[in-house]
Amino acid sequence: MARPEQVLLLEPVHELRFRGPFTDVVTTTLKLANPTDRNVCFKVKTTAPRRYCVRPNSGVIDAGTSINVSVMLQPFDYDPNEKSKHKFMVQSLLAPPDMTDTEGVWKDAKPEDLMDSKLRCVFEMPAENEKTHEMESNKIASSLSKSESSTLSMKSMVSSLDDGEVKKIMEECKRLQTEVQRLREENKQIRQEDDGLRMRKSTIMSAPHSSQAVRVKEEGLSTRVIALIVLFFVVGVIVGKLAL
């Protein structure tokens, strides 16, 4: 007996595309929509469970609603010559009105109650210029988002302040500027006083040397005077003896 037609609407319908480079996790989204008036149980299965992480991989979609399933391809060494053989299958069944245990419903389901859809995986590696363009676009978008967020935060901060608070902030800024100027003047005055102290200290230290030099000079002069007196005395004595 042929299985019934899939009641869920899949987007995309036939292929899950993963765009490289595959040095990091690559995520694609599978949308499952339930257009019926009954709840639908679903499961997402793959032929390569170790290569993919699926969240959520099962559950219940309420009537008239939809759900997004994140399919995350794990990093791997991409070979452009190797075609992907990975496939996904979305399996579903109509939930009974009195359902309390989802796993029990799957166990008790008959093969003719199950509906499924299959999708194949496609890997795409962008060209070098496309990768460069994407990186530049991501950088520009990141910088724009940061500048917009900072601008919005500043605008929200300013808008949250009334005129009185803004006036207080301006007055506080002026007071701080005046305080900074006063501290600069005090620092300049202290430096000048330090320079004066250094000059006086050097003068005081050099004063003993000069006084000692004067004393030495005076002692030298007095010694010369005494020597001349003694010399004149001796000459006088000799001349006196010769005269006698």
Side-chain angles (χ1 to χ4, degrees), residues 4 9 15 22 38 51 53 57 70-71 73 82 92 99 106 110 114 126 137 144 148 154 159 166 174 190-191 215 236:
L9 301 178
E15 295 177 345
F22 302 101
R38 292 181 58 180
R51 300 285 294 276
C53 181
N57 59 2
S70 297
V71 183
L73 173 63
E82 181 181 353
S92 63
M99 182 186 67
W106 284 105
K110 298 177 181 180
L114 300 177
S137 300
L144 286 175
E148 287 177 358
M154 289 295 293
S159 61
V166 173
K174 290 181 180 180
I190 290 172
R191 287 182 179 178
R215 287 197 300 271

Side-chain angles (χ1 to χ4, degrees), residues 19-120:
R19 191 172 179 82
F22 302 101
T23 55
D24 202 352
V25 176
V26 180
T27 303
T28 189
T29 301
L30 172 63
K31 183 178 179 181
L32 304 178
N34 177 12
T36 69
D37 56 356
R38 292 181 58 180
N39 295 347
V40 176
C41 301
F42 76 93
K43 283 185 178 182
V44 180
K45 300 179 179 180
T46 177
T47 56
R50 294 185 179 180
R51 300 285 294 276
Y52 299 89
C53 181
V54 182
R55 293 290 183 274
N57 59 2
S58 64
V60 179
I61 305 175
D62 295 335
T65 64
S66 62
I67 188 172
N68 288 329
V69 177
S70 297
V71 183
M72 291 163 277
L73 173 63
Q74 303 304 303
F76 71 102
D77 295 329
Y78 175 71
D79 184 0
N81 298 321
E82 181 181 353
K83 292 185 178 180
S84 173
K85 298 179 182 179
H86 302 165
K87 291 181 175 63
F88 275 82
M89 181 176 69
V90 178
Q91 201 170 40
S92 63
L93 62 87
L94 296 173
D98 56 347
M99 182 186 67
T100 57
D101 181 15
T102 306
E103 290 301 322
V105 171
W106 284 105
K107 288 180 180 179
D108 298 338
K110 298 177 181 180
E112 57 269 22
D113 296 333
L114 300 177
M115 299 166 282
D116 59 60
S117 299
K118 295 180 180 179
L119 302 94
R120 70 187 187 95

Side-chain angles (χ1 to χ4, degrees), residues 135-149:
M135 291 175 65
E136 291 178 353
S137 300
N138 292 334
K139 289 181 180 178
I140 293 172
S142 176
S143 61
L144 286 175
S145 62
K146 288 181 180 178
S147 61
E148 287 177 358
S149 62

Side-chain angles (χ1 to χ4, degrees), residues 141-200:
S142 176
S143 61
L144 286 175
S145 62
K146 288 181 180 178
S147 61
E148 287 177 358
S149 62
S150 61
T151 304
L152 289 174
S153 63
M154 289 295 293
K155 287 183 178 179
S156 61
M157 184 184 298
V158 172
S159 61
S160 63
L161 298 174
D162 55 20
D163 294 339
E165 292 176 340
V166 173
K167 187 176 180 181
K168 289 180 181 179
I169 292 174
M170 295 299 293
E171 290 176 353
E172 182 67 16
C173 289
K174 290 181 180 180
R175 189 188 67 79
L176 291 174
Q177 289 177 355
T178 305
E179 184 69 17
V180 169
Q181 186 64 27
R182 185 183 64 81
L183 291 174
R184 286 178 178 172
E185 293 295 334
E186 290 183 357
N187 188 26
K188 184 178 180 181
Q189 185 177 358
I190 290 172
R191 287 182 179 178
Q192 291 176 352
E193 292 177 355
D194 288 342
D195 293 339
L197 288 174
R198 290 193 190 97
M199 292 178 65
R200 286 196 294 270

